[in-house]
Amino acid sequence: MRQFFGWLSLVVLMVFLVIGALFIMRPFGEPPSVMDDYIIDNAQEEAASNNVVAAVLFDYRGFDTLGEATVLFAAVTGALLVLRASHKKEET
Amino acid sequence: MGALYIILPLALIACAVFVAVCRDLLYAVVVLAVLSLLLAFQFYLLKAPDVAIAEAGIGAAVTTAIFIICIRATERRE
Amino acid sequence: MSKIVRTVANQLILFVVIFGLYVIIQGHVTPGGGFQGGAIIASGAVLLIVASGSQEIKTWLRERRLSVVESSGALLFILLAFAGIGTVFFFNFLVGSRLFGGIPSVGPNPGDVWTGGVIPLMNLGVGLKVMAGLSAVVLALALFSGGEELEE
């Protein structure tokens, strides 16, 4: 019985949190800042690129792409390291 | 066109449930590739073609190949 | 795999690579970019590996060379980022110059590849990186994992 009330209180807490998050959330299609308007208006002049997504990825938010490249590099390095090590152990 | 917005998420959910409950891992991987393709189409409908191309390339091709190679090295039945 | 699959894969790989290069080069005009095009070319490499077996691929494509290509792509990206450090890190210093210097008119226009400044070159770097990285991981998995070979 105690276990049942424990689960029930957990479920009630989760439902409360989800409904609270739904009320706090901004309406769909309205971003919380005005930065996107600036980027959409000025990307073609400043970055000289028709594709605004590419302009954001490589010009306005280049640091994020650098982080993504670092993550990919680390993933490939780790995978090759582990696989080569296991291969060598099997051979000898 | 409007019906697609209802059918496609339902198909996604059905594919995901099948992947979770299927005991044969090879079938699960193939259905996972189908799920990736449907997800790419859903991204395209939501006007995100960049994400759709990336999802179709990585989710449907590379991930499936990696899973199949892993199944080949281990066991097919769960 | 069977002979039919191998033949079709050998014919298809050309179109897959050309489409991937198109997505990379046109990344600043149409949807797409380095990551997406690299993923497409890597899926072509995966098709080759699955079709003709990793032992046959091993004779002309090693994951060591692929990791060299991946590192050079990352190096190109970071060097291009550092080249604009006179103004600020990741500055688009090629806009208006001779190389990829065209500026499109504001609003809807029929795109031009010769625009974008540093963005096409960075797309190329990221494309090389993603292509070589994903192919190297799949090739290493196919070569080094145990189990019987996929081909008959």
Side-chain angles (χ1 to χ4, degrees):
Chain A
M1 204 61 188
R2 270 184 76 181
Q3 206 178 5
F4 174 73
F5 278 111
W7 281 109
L8 192 68
S9 61
L10 190 67
V11 168
V12 168
L13 183 69
M14 295 299 278
V15 168
F16 180 74
L17 284 179
V18 166
I19 290 177
L22 275 181
F23 274 113
I24 295 173
M25 211 162 64
R26 294 187 67 87
F28 186 72
E30 282 186 30
S33 76
V34 294
M35 194 64 207
D36 60 329
D37 288 333
Y38 175 81
I39 287 177
I40 290 172
D41 287 338
N42 293 335
Q44 280 183 319
E45 297 173 41
E46 289 181 0
S49 162
N50 272 339
N51 189 356
V52 182
V53 176
V56 171
L57 272 180
F58 293 104
D59 198 344
Y60 290 104
R61 299 284 182 268
F63 269 110
D64 287 353
T65 312
L66 185 62
E68 178 203 310
T70 312
V71 166
L72 190 68
F73 185 76
V76 172
T77 311
L80 287 185
L81 205 65
V82 170
L83 287 169
R84 272 184 199 154
S86 68
H87 185 57
K88 268 185 192 146
K89 206 194 306 175
E90 273 177 13
E91 271 188 350
T92 53
Chain B
M1 196 61 193
L4 266 181
Y5 288 100
I6 301 168
I7 295 172
L8 215 53
L10 288 180
L12 281 174
I13 292 172
C15 285
V17 169
F18 182 82
V19 169
V21 300
C22 183
R23 311 298 289 183
D24 195 332
L25 294 179
L26 201 59
Y27 289 177
V29 168
V30 172
V31 177
L32 196 65
V34 173
L35 179 122
S36 284
L37 269 182
L38 290 178
L39 194 60
F41 192 54
Q42 174 77 20
F43 278 136
Y44 179 72
L45 284 185
L46 291 176
K47 302 207 170 72
D50 295 272
V51 192
I53 297 173
E55 178 71 35
I58 292 186
V62 179
T63 312
T64 312
I66 288 178
F67 274 133
I68 286 179
I69 288 169
C70 290
I71 287 173
R72 199 188 73 199
T74 56
E75 283 182 0
R76 185 174 162 180
R77 310 283 315 175
E78 188 179 0
Chain C
M1 286 281 166
S2 68
K3 202 167 194 171
I4 299 172
V5 177
R6 240 181 299 151
T7 312
V8 171
N10 285 338
Q11 305 295 328
L12 205 60
I13 184 69
L14 186 66
F15 298 100
V16 172
V17 169
I18 286 176
F19 180 62
L21 284 177
Y22 161 77
V23 169
I24 291 177
I25 297 293
Q26 294 261 347
H28 57 295
V29 183
T30 54
F35 195 80
Q36 288 87 359
I40 288 171
I41 300 181
S43 69
V46 167
L47 175 70
L48 268 191
I49 291 171
V50 170
S52 51
S54 57
Q55 295 302 321
E56 199 166 329
I57 298 292
K58 200 175 74 171
T59 56
W60 58 274
L61 188 67
R62 296 307 302 265
E63 88 281 354
R64 284 173 199 279
R65 296 179 198 167
L66 282 175
S67 63
V68 169
V69 173
E70 194 217 350
S71 306
S72 57
L75 210 60
L76 177 66
F77 180 69
I78 293 177
L79 283 181
L80 279 171
F82 266 111
I85 207 163
T87 310
V88 69
F89 200 48
F90 277 107
F91 180 64
N92 199 340
F93 64 99
L94 278 178
V95 171
S97 71
R98 303 281 291 278
L99 185 66
F100 290 109
I103 300 175
S105 57
V106 176
N109 56 343
D112 185 9
V113 182
W114 204 249
T115 55
V118 85
I119 294 176
L121 298 173
M122 279 187 173
N123 264 329
L124 198 62
V126 172
L128 279 180
K129 182 174 168 50
V130 173
M131 170 194 78
L134 289 179
S135 324
V137 167
V138 177
L139 185 59
L141 265 176
L143 274 179
F144 298 152
S145 70
E148 67 271 23
E149 194 56 36
L150 215 61
E151 65 217 309
E152 307 291 311

